[in-house]
Amino acid sequence: MSVESSTIIITIINIAIMFWVLTKFIFEPVKKFMDSRVISIQNDIQDANNLKLNAEELKSQYENKLKDVHDERDQILLDSKRKGEKLYAEKVSEADRDVEVIKERAKREIEQERSQMQNELRNNTVSIAIEAASKVLNQEINQDKHKELVADFIDNLK
Amino acid sequence: MSMQHFTEVFKLHIPLTHINVPIYNSIIYMWIIMLVLIIFAICVQVYMRTVGFKMVPESKFQNFLEAIVKWLYDLVENIMGKKYSEYAPLVGTIGVCLLFSNLFSFTGLPQPTADPSIPIGFGLVTFFNIHYQSIKKNGFKSWIGEFASPFVFMFPINLVVELSVPVSLSMRLFGNMIAGLTIIELVYNGLSGVAFGIFRFIIPIPLHAFFDLFDGVVQTYVFMMLTMVFIKNSVDHGPEH
C-alpha cells in the first residue's frame, strides 16, 4: 500500500480523457439539444400568442366590417324605400296631372265639338228655316236679310 | 490472506525514452471502467446521429440521458449558481468516474479508489481546477492576492489551507473506501471458520450494501459537492465580487 506518482499521473490523464469524451459525446450534445428544445418551445408559445393576437385583431376587424355592412345595408334599404316612396308619389301626382290634362282636353274637345255642332245646327236650321219660309211665303226676300233676322231670333232664344 | 490488493502488473515502456511506468491493477480497473464509459458515450453519439433525439421524447434511452444531464446541470446550478453551469461537465465527469470506481467492488475485485494513488489523482484534479478556474476568471494577480488576504502575514496559513484541500478530499475518499474493503475482507476471513456455510453468504450482504453501495454513492456525492463549493469559492473571490 504505497502512493505511486506514476499512478497519480495516469489517473489525472484518465480523468482528462474521460472529461473530453463525456463532455463531447454526452453532456454537451444532450444539454445543447435540451436548450434548443427550450428555445423552440418558447418560440412556439410566442408564435401561438402572436397568432392569437392577430386572430383576435382580425376578428374585431371583421366584426366591425360586418357591422358596417349591416349599417350600409340598412341605409341602402332605407334610401331605396324613401326613393321608391318619392317616386311613387311623383308618379301618382304625374298621373293625376295627366288625368286632369286629359280630362281638360276632353272637356275642351267636347265643348268645341258641341259649339261646332251648335253652329252647324244653327246654320242648318237657318237655311232650312229660310228654305221653308221662302217656300211657304213664296215671296222674295233678300236672303242675307232673312238670315240675319233668323240669327237674331235664335240668338234671342238662347 | 494478504491485505495487499494492488500490485504491479507490468511495466509500460514509453517509446523513445528509458522510462518504464509501473502499471498497477488499480489502473487496469480504471481502464476497464473507462472502456465501459467510452463505449457508452459512443453508443450515445451513434444513437443521436442515427435515431436522433426527438422533440417529444419517446424512447427510454433519451429520457434516461436527459434525466441524468438535467439532474447534473440542475445540481451545479443549485449549488454554484446559474452562471456557473459551464462547470457541470467537469463535476459530472468526476462524479461518473468516481461512482463507477467506488461501485467497482460489486465485480468482486477491489475498487480502484481504495488504492491511495487514485483518490489523490482525483483530489489533484479538483485542486488544479480550483486554482486554474480562479486564474482564468479573475487573473493571476487576483488569485495570488487571495493568499495575502486579509493580511500579508496570513500567506503561509492560506497556503496550508489551500494545500489541505486536495489532501482532505483524497484522504476522505481513500479512508472510506479502504475501510469498507478492509472490514468486508475481515468479515469474510472471520466467516471462513464458521461451520455453517450459509452465513458466509448472508452476513456480508448488509455490509456490502452499506460500505460498497451506500458509502460509495455518498462519497461520490460528497466529492462532487466539495468540488463545486471549492471552485465556486475560488472563482467568486474575484475583484467583481
Side-chain angles (χ1 to χ4, degrees), chain B residues 146-172:
Chain B
E146 269 308 305
F147 286 94
S149 75
F151 310 107
V152 178
F153 63 81
M154 294 287 276
F155 191 89
I157 296 168
N158 281 330
L159 196 68
V160 170
V161 167
E162 289 303 324
L163 289 175
S164 72
V165 165
V167 176
S168 79
L169 275 175
S170 42
M171 286 307 116
R172 177 187 300 108

Side-chain angles (χ1 to χ4, degrees), chain A residues 4-149:
Chain A
E4 279 287 336
S5 57
S6 61
T7 306
I8 295 172
I9 292 165
I10 291 171
T11 303
I12 292 170
I13 294 168
N14 285 349
I15 295 170
I17 293 169
M18 286 318 294
F19 174 71
W20 187 83
V21 170
L22 293 178
T23 304
K24 290 287 164 212
F25 284 18
I26 300 180
F27 295 139
E28 269 181 2
V30 174
K31 177 70 175 162
K32 218 165 108 185
F33 172 80
M34 290 196 292
D35 286 348
S36 75
R37 177 168 54 201
V38 167
I39 289 167
S40 107
I41 289 172
Q42 277 172 347
N43 285 345
D44 283 355
I45 291 171
Q46 191 64 44
D47 286 354
N49 279 339
N50 286 345
L51 279 176
K52 199 182 152 197
L53 283 179
N54 277 347
E56 273 169 2
E57 203 176 308
L58 275 178
K59 195 190 160 203
S60 68
Q61 267 179 23
Y62 285 140
E63 273 173 354
N64 282 343
K65 260 187 197 162
L66 206 62
K67 202 169 156 273
D68 287 352
V69 167
H70 275 287
D71 288 352
E72 211 172 317
R73 186 199 65 183
D74 288 349
Q75 193 60 43
I76 287 167
L77 275 177
L78 206 67
D79 279 358
S80 51
K81 205 173 158 192
R82 215 174 283 154
K83 233 183 248 173
E85 275 170 359
K86 203 174 152 197
L87 202 66
Y88 172 77
E90 265 175 21
K91 286 283 171 203
V92 165
S93 67
E94 204 177 305
D96 280 349
R97 268 202 310 280
D98 283 357
V99 165
E100 280 304 312
V101 167
I102 289 165
K103 254 168 130 181
E104 201 64 38
R105 202 191 295 152
K107 225 176 175 178
R108 253 201 326 273
E109 274 172 13
I110 288 165
E111 201 68 35
Q112 220 173 347
E113 224 147 286
R114 200 176 64 187
S115 67
Q116 206 180 332
M117 290 277 268
Q118 267 177 350
N119 280 344
E120 265 176 35
L121 192 62
R122 195 170 52 192
N123 289 345
N124 285 349
T125 311
V126 169
S127 11
I128 289 166
I130 290 167
E131 217 174 305
S134 57
K135 269 181 185 170
V136 172
L137 294 175
N138 256 342
Q139 61 184 158
E140 232 175 81
I141 298 171
N142 185 344
Q143 204 164 0
D144 286 337
K145 184 87 176 166
H146 212 114
K147 253 183 196 170
E148 206 178 301
L149 282 174

